[in-house]
Amino acid sequence: MTDDLRSAGAPTLEDVARAAGVSRATVSRVVNGVRNVDPVIQEAVRRAVSVTGYTPNRAARSLVTRRADAIALVVSGAGVEPKAAEESEDTTASGDGSSFTAQVFADPFFGRVVTGVVNYLRPRGMHPVLMFAESSRAREDVVAYLRQGRADGALVVSTHAEDPLPALIAEAGLAAVLFARPARPVPVSYVDLAHQDGARLAAEHLLGRGCRRIATISGPLDVPAGQARLTGFRDTMARHGHPYIPIVEGRFTQESGEAAMERLLAEHPDLDGVFAANDLMALGACHVLREHVRSVPGDVAVVGFDDSSAALACRPPLTTVRQPVEGMAAEMTRLLLDRLSRPDGPVTSVIFEPELVVRGSA
């Protein structure tokens, strides 16, 4: 930065305009993200911004663009909260859900969603605001927050099929995109995975290894992903001459995977293959198998789902079905920003393809 700019205080639009050789109005258009500016001029302005050290005044920019340059990343559930939490005057915008938030942060899935969102927004000068909506009051607060313009739109990750938040946002005419297909039709764009295809990959891999007494630990069957993974696994097994497979429902937690594996071993001690509908449950299953002196994969082959950090923490490392969560979260964010720039654009969906990652457990 030149000495005269330093002495003049904080760089201004005029300083950038002089450095770029363009008008102040052109600089303003580039800084505010107006699209119909010649790419060569945009690059000249960006170089001038870098040279001068100019930083846009967010408050002033918001007055011009009517944008907050912030996106609400909402983790939402529909659990029944204690009455005291619902009525408490001290309940914050995220409700009293200490157990809910603890569960969220314990699941590696949500960290991957945050990573994908942050990595997409950061180069665009935007920021996520993390919100939790596990109670009716918290859901109302999220809608109010968006109505007040404190965030430009919402990225919603629902943990329960009956979550009413997507419908509330749609009814309010607010911009939003969902992670995962909603259980009921809602006019909101979403990204999702071809879950049934992923479960098919798991079934075919276990069968290809020679497993014949195969069981599954399903995800919660009130969640569309849990239903789809179970359907895909059962259908594939049936196509290969296995009309019945033992099923124990889990809750996508390590503890539920441990409990399910204990039950499967008690009821089907000769099983030789297990598909767990997420990596945390597969990790729990492997722990129980070791406690029962069953080698993995020698006695029982185990396949998980997600390809999360839990897959690498497992011993042996998990063979799993990869869900590209970071890429899905980035695409969800792109869809939302596109919706903000084209409010009348069509509601859409993007479905990602799963991939089998073979490691030591199967």
Side-chain angles (χ1 to χ4, degrees), residues 81-89 91 96:
E81 61 275 12
K83 186 175 182 182
E86 192 69 21
E87 294 177 351
S88 170
E89 293 300 321
T91 302
D96 182 37

Side-chain angles (χ1 to χ4, degrees), residues 53-270:
Y54 172 74
T55 302
N57 183 310
R58 285 196 168 274
R61 180 177 173 181
S62 294
L63 289 174
V64 174
T65 64
R66 298 182 184 273
R67 294 281 181 84
D69 283 342
I71 297 296
L73 175 56
V74 186
V75 183
S76 181
V80 178
E81 61 275 12
K83 186 175 182 182
E86 192 69 21
E87 294 177 351
S88 170
E89 293 300 321
D90 295 328
T91 302
T92 65
S94 61
D96 182 37
S98 58
S99 61
F100 178 78
T101 54
Q103 178 183 344
V104 168
F105 285 122
D107 191 332
F109 166 82
F110 296 104
R112 295 176 66 193
V113 171
V114 172
T115 297
V117 170
V118 169
N119 287 347
Y120 192 88
L121 288 178
R122 181 180 291 157
R124 292 161 177 81
M126 302 185 73
H127 307 279
V129 178
L130 183 61
M131 305 183 75
F132 296 95
E134 78 293 344
S135 68
S136 58
R137 175 175 293 184
R139 287 188 286 275
E140 291 169 2
D141 288 346
V142 168
V143 173
Y145 191 90
L146 295 169
R147 282 185 182 277
Q148 293 162 7
R150 297 169 70 184
D152 298 318
L155 303 168
V156 181
V157 182
S158 288
T159 63
H160 196 285
E162 297 303 318
D163 182 11
L165 183 61
L168 291 175
I169 290 175
E171 290 166 4
L174 300 166
V177 178
L178 310 180
F179 193 109
R181 185 195 317 263
R184 297 179 181 178
V186 179
V188 178
S189 296
Y190 64 83
V191 301
D192 206 351
L193 186 78
H195 295 282
Q196 292 192 32
D197 291 345
R200 173 181 55 78
L201 293 174
E204 290 175 346
H205 184 71
L206 288 170
L207 291 167
R209 282 185 53 89
C211 298
R212 292 297 177 264
R213 299 176 298 281
I214 301 172
T216 184
I217 302 172
S218 79
L221 298 181
D222 57 356
V223 174
Q227 297 170 5
R229 293 176 193 180
L230 178 59
T231 297
F233 192 76
R234 293 176 70 179
D235 284 355
T236 303
M237 293 297 294
R239 289 173 184 270
H240 287 81
H242 297 264
Y244 166 76
I245 54 171
I247 299 165
V248 177
E249 182 179 358
R251 302 303 302 172
F252 282 153
T253 64
Q254 182 175 333
E255 294 75 15
S256 70
E258 291 172 353
M261 193 70 248
E262 290 281 6
R263 179 175 164 187
L264 285 171
L265 285 175
E267 297 177 358
H268 307 278
D270 62 341

Side-chain angles (χ1 to χ4, degrees), residues 214-361:
I214 301 172
T216 184
I217 302 172
S218 79
L221 298 181
D222 57 356
V223 174
Q227 297 170 5
R229 293 176 193 180
L230 178 59
T231 297
F233 192 76
R234 293 176 70 179
D235 284 355
T236 303
M237 293 297 294
R239 289 173 184 270
H240 287 81
H242 297 264
Y244 166 76
I245 54 171
I247 299 165
V248 177
E249 182 179 358
R251 302 303 302 172
F252 282 153
T253 64
Q254 182 175 333
E255 294 75 15
S256 70
E258 291 172 353
M261 193 70 248
E262 290 281 6
R263 179 175 164 187
L264 285 171
L265 285 175
E267 297 177 358
H268 307 278
D270 62 341
L271 62 81
D272 61 2
V274 174
F275 167 53
N278 85 335
D279 291 340
L280 281 175
M281 295 192 300
L283 178 62
C286 287
H287 284 175
V288 169
L289 287 167
R290 280 201 303 272
E291 290 174 355
H292 286 262
V293 199
R294 304 289 182 91
S295 68
V296 177
D299 296 324
V300 182
V302 178
V303 176
F305 202 112
D306 284 338
D307 195 22
S308 66
S309 58
L312 296 178
C314 189
R315 291 294 175 267
L318 277 175
T319 290
T320 185
V321 176
R322 175 163 177 75
Q323 178 173 203
V325 175
E326 294 87 352
M328 294 168 70
E331 179 64 11
M332 175 174 64
T333 311
R334 186 195 70 78
L335 289 175
L336 180 60
L337 297 188
D338 187 60
R339 165 66 61 175
L340 292 173
S341 65
R342 298 189 304 138
D344 297 328
V347 172
T348 189
S349 59
V350 177
I351 307 299
F352 284 71
E353 296 299 324
E355 176 187 356
L356 184 70
V357 179
V358 178
R359 297 194 181 97
S361 70

Side-chain angles (χ1 to χ4, degrees), residues 6-29:
R6 285 196 187 95
S7 62
T12 65
L13 283 178
E14 287 78 7
D15 296 326
V16 177
R18 280 195 296 272
V22 299
S23 69
R24 182 186 186 282
T26 298
V27 173
S28 178
R29 288 159 64 84

